[in-house]
């Protein structure tokens, strides 16, 4: 990243076309960040900044159509901003002011926000492109959790209750259902997914203050530990899917970026005579 940062910056998009926004810089003096950057698969380029600098915010969407919401401006905020591939514009606030949220959605016109703090929240809100509406709560109130997917098919995993948790839940567009727990409980973790049928979660803190590189894959039934991040980190940004994911920012205040790719296996039939 051009602007090194941590404290749960937000991300949107794919592994080769991502957007990073918000966070917390370690510059002197350290401050909430409004920086926004686009990734093309090899380099980051600065884009117009958020209208409100913030950390511990939520985000979802794609590189050309994204939403930023909640976070800490000191104190927490419910401000929401929409990205149209040219600029950020303030839109309707969250009904519940909070930071440390999870989010899932594929554009700035549809998605969900869930969990949060300053005390662990179970609240879930749905975005329709114009306003937020409260929908069914998480089964377990939590903060600084991982989330990804769509407005009708998403996963929430880990977080703090405030005790670090391994609990995970699946969203079907109407309600949350408890699913298998992570192998490693963690908070301030990241996630990437296209829907609730698979999910990749990586990084986080376990125990508090310990930067983890642990990575786990959910196949719709259970979690399996896979290869760790090259650098342990928490509160980083995330984008992509469970097979083509991106992790950027943190640990401390870093600009480091990592790509996750699952090898593609091709079956060929050879005829001999």
């Amino acid at each position: 990243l051009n602007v090194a940062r941590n404290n749960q910056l937000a991300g949107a998009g794919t592994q080769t076309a991502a957007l990073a926004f918000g966070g917390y810089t370690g510059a002197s003096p350290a401050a909430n960040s409004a920086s926004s950057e686009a990734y093309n698969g090899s380099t980051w380029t600065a884009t117009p900044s958020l209208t409100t600098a913030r950390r511990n915010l939520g985000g979802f969407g794609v590189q050309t159509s994204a939403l930023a919401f909640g976070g800490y401006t000191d104190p927490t905020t419910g401000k929401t901003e929409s990205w149209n591939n040219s600029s950020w514009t303030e839109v309707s606030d969250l009904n519940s002011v909070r930071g440390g949220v999870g989010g899932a959605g594929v554009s700035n016109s549809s998605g969900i926000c869930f969990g949060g703090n300053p005390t662990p929240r179970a609240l879930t809100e749905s975005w329709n492109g114009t306003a937020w509406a409260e929908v069914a709560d998480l089964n377990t109130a939590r903060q600084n959790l991982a989330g990804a997917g769509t407005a009708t098919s998403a996963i929430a995993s880990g977080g703090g209750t405030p005790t670090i948790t391994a609990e995970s839940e699946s969203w079907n567009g109407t309600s949350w259902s408890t699913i298998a727990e992570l192998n490693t409980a963690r908070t301030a973790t990241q996630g990437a997914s296209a829907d609730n049928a698979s999910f990749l979660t990586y990084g986080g803190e376990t125990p508090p203050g310990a930067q983890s590189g642990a990575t786990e894959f959910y196949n719709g039934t259970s979690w399996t530990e896979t290869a760790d991040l090259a650098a342990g980190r928490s509160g980083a940004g995330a984008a992509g899917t469970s097979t083509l994911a991106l992790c950027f920012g943190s640990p401390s205040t870093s600009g480091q970026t990592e790509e996750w790719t699952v090898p593609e296996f091709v079956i060929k039939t050879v005829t001999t005579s």
Side-chain angles (χ1 to χ4, degrees), residues 105-116:
V106 295
S107 74
N108 61 12
S109 62
S110 178
I112 55 173
C113 167
F114 42 91

Side-chain angles (χ1 to χ4, degrees), residues 175-262:
S175 61
W176 291 98
S177 299
T178 300
I179 56 175
E181 291 189 355
L182 293 165
N183 292 290
T184 303
R186 63 188 88 175
T187 187
T189 181
Q190 294 71 244
S193 176
D195 53 38
N196 62 12
S198 66
F199 192 86
L200 190 76
T201 189
Y202 38 99
E205 289 187 16
T206 175
Q211 303 284 315
S212 173
T215 302
E216 297 187 39
F217 173 75
Y218 178 70
N219 63 3
T221 303
S222 61
W223 295 93
T224 302
E225 293 184 16
T226 60
D228 288 358
L229 287 162
R233 62 184 81 191
S234 64
T241 66
S242 59
T243 56
L244 294 168
L246 199 67
C247 180
F248 42 89
S250 198
S252 299
T253 45
S254 168
Q256 292 177 345
T257 301
E258 295 190 41
E259 293 180 345
W260 165 267
T261 302
V262 174

Side-chain angles (χ1 to χ4, degrees), residues 64-174:
T64 58
S65 176
L67 205 72
F69 44 91
Y72 277 82
T73 57
D74 303 314
T76 52
T77 182
K79 286 188 176 181
T80 302
E81 299 184 41
S82 179
W83 169 254
N84 63 2
N85 200 35
S86 174
S87 61
W88 290 97
T89 303
E90 286 194 24
V91 288
S92 300
D93 288 2
L94 285 163
N95 292 292
S96 173
V97 173
R98 49 193 154 142
V101 294
V106 295
S107 74
N108 61 12
S109 62
S110 178
I112 55 173
C113 167
F114 42 91
N117 54 33
T119 56
R121 306 286 181 87
L123 292 170
T124 302
E125 296 188 40
S126 176
W127 174 256
N128 64 5
T130 304
W132 293 98
E134 291 190 18
V135 289
D137 287 357
L138 288 161
N139 292 289
T140 301
R142 62 185 91 179
Q143 59 194 6
N144 299 328
L145 65 165
T150 72
T152 58
S153 182
I155 296 285
S157 68
T161 61
T163 302
I164 294 176
T165 183
E167 292 185 42
S168 301
E169 301 185 36
S170 176
W171 172 256
N172 64 6
T174 303

